[in-house]
Amino acid sequence: MPRARTSTLNAPPDTSPEPVEGVLAPADDRLASTESIAQDLATAIVEKRLPPGTWLREEALGRVYTVSRTKVRAALVMLSKDKLIEIIPDKGAFVSRPSVQDAREVFAVRRVLESEVVRLFVATAGDADYQLLEQHIRFERAALRGSTTTGRVREKLLGDFHVVLAEATGNRTLAELVRELVARSSLIAMLYHSSNDPHCSSEEHAEFLQLCRAGDAEAAVDSMMEHLRRIEANLELDTERPDRQTDLVKALLA
């Protein structure tokens, strides 16, 4: 999931409206910040609560977060830089609808970047890094067994494995790029009917980590590349889901 960036906009002083009964009120100052609004929206997109094409109405978002439209607009600008949303002049902000070409390019770039992530990880990882990733795989398996765990949470955990792996390399720029691409992959999976088997993905994560443990960097790279190719192959890139209306407030409160 992409991290919200600090806005460089010189926004005028905020004039936040009073909380609206029946919608989410901030529990602390963090929830009302521009960065936290961007982070919350990014999470809702990655968790598939806000599908591609959803209109992100500034007025409704201001009511949900009890902030001014100025602050909402700054948060939307942050997300547009991560390609999670598209801002169309005179129309508004919408959750991005990646094209087939976009989808293929995202996975092509992921293969390039994540091959280097794997090599760097094998060369530098310590026991604590392996323990962290092994724990993440246990979380995946627990989520897959849990009857009450939603599909979107399971899929988010599977995507987060790649982010945690990149973060373990200590290269923050590389981790940031992987985080953004994983988030965009989630949008692509929504739009193009991914048939990916989450159990298969989790098993592949475990097999990949064993190769890393053995110090076989090239075998680990091959394993990761095959994993990403399989995920891409499970997309129906010749079809798109039609736009559907989403209740913005209910999606964010879910």
Side-chain angles (χ1 to χ4, degrees), residues 110-125 130 133 161-162 165 203-229:
R110 282 191 66 178
R111 286 191 290 272
V112 171
L113 286 181
E114 294 194 50
S115 64
E116 292 309 307
V117 167
V118 173
R119 291 188 180 95
L120 186 56
F121 177 79
V122 173
T124 62
Y130 282 105
L133 284 159
F161 177 87
H162 297 260
L165 179 70
E203 288 304 314
E204 287 173 354
H205 289 168
E207 292 168 4
F208 158 79
L209 200 58
Q210 287 178 349
L211 293 171
C212 293
R213 276 275 197 189
D216 193 339
E218 291 311 308
V221 168
D222 290 343
S223 175
M224 179 61 76
M225 296 306 98
E226 182 59 31
H227 173 63
L228 292 174
R229 280 192 289 268

Side-chain angles (χ1 to χ4, degrees), residues 27-208:
D28 52 46
D29 291 341
R30 183 187 64 81
L31 291 177
S33 71
T34 300
E35 290 80 5
S36 66
I37 293 170
Q39 185 73 21
D40 196 52
L41 289 172
T43 299
I45 291 170
V46 170
E47 290 184 352
K48 302 185 178 182
R49 286 181 278 136
L50 296 175
T54 300
W55 179 22
L56 302 175
R57 302 184 305 279
E58 291 179 6
E59 181 179 1
L61 291 173
R63 290 174 55 235
V64 167
Y65 297 106
T66 63
V67 297
S68 69
R69 293 178 67 173
T70 298
K71 186 170 286 187
V72 167
R73 195 172 298 120
L76 294 175
V77 169
M78 289 181 181
L79 292 174
S80 70
K81 292 177 181 177
D82 290 332
K83 308 298 183 184
L84 288 182
I85 71 167
E86 181 182 9
I87 298 176
I88 302 176
D90 300 322
K91 290 188 177 180
F94 300 83
V95 178
S96 294
R97 292 181 57 85
S99 66
V100 170
Q101 182 66 21
D102 291 334
R104 297 198 183 281
E105 288 178 0
V106 164
F107 277 93
V109 174
R110 282 191 66 178
R111 286 191 290 272
V112 171
L113 286 181
E114 294 194 50
S115 64
E116 292 309 307
V117 167
V118 173
R119 291 188 180 95
L120 186 56
F121 177 79
V122 173
T124 62
D127 284 340
D129 298 313
Y130 282 105
Q131 289 170 12
L132 180 63
L133 284 159
E134 287 164 354
Q135 181 184 50
H136 190 93
I137 291 171
R138 288 195 292 272
F139 289 155
E140 292 176 0
R141 290 173 173 173
L144 290 170
R145 289 193 302 268
S147 59
T148 60
T149 309
T150 63
R152 65 177 183 246
V153 171
R154 296 169 189 166
E155 292 176 21
K156 183 178 183 300
L157 271 173
L158 294 172
D160 282 348
F161 177 87
H162 297 260
V163 178
V164 174
L165 179 70
E167 290 176 341
T169 67
N171 187 317
R172 290 181 295 178
T173 300
L174 191 57
E176 179 78 12
L177 291 170
V178 170
R179 185 181 299 107
E180 292 178 12
L181 289 169
V182 167
R184 293 176 68 184
S185 297
S186 180
L187 272 176
I188 290 165
M190 267 192 285
L191 189 59
Y192 294 103
H193 303 234
S194 174
S195 59
N196 181 51
D197 181 351
H199 293 272
C200 185
S201 283
S202 188
E203 288 304 314
E204 287 173 354
H205 289 168
E207 292 168 4
F208 158 79

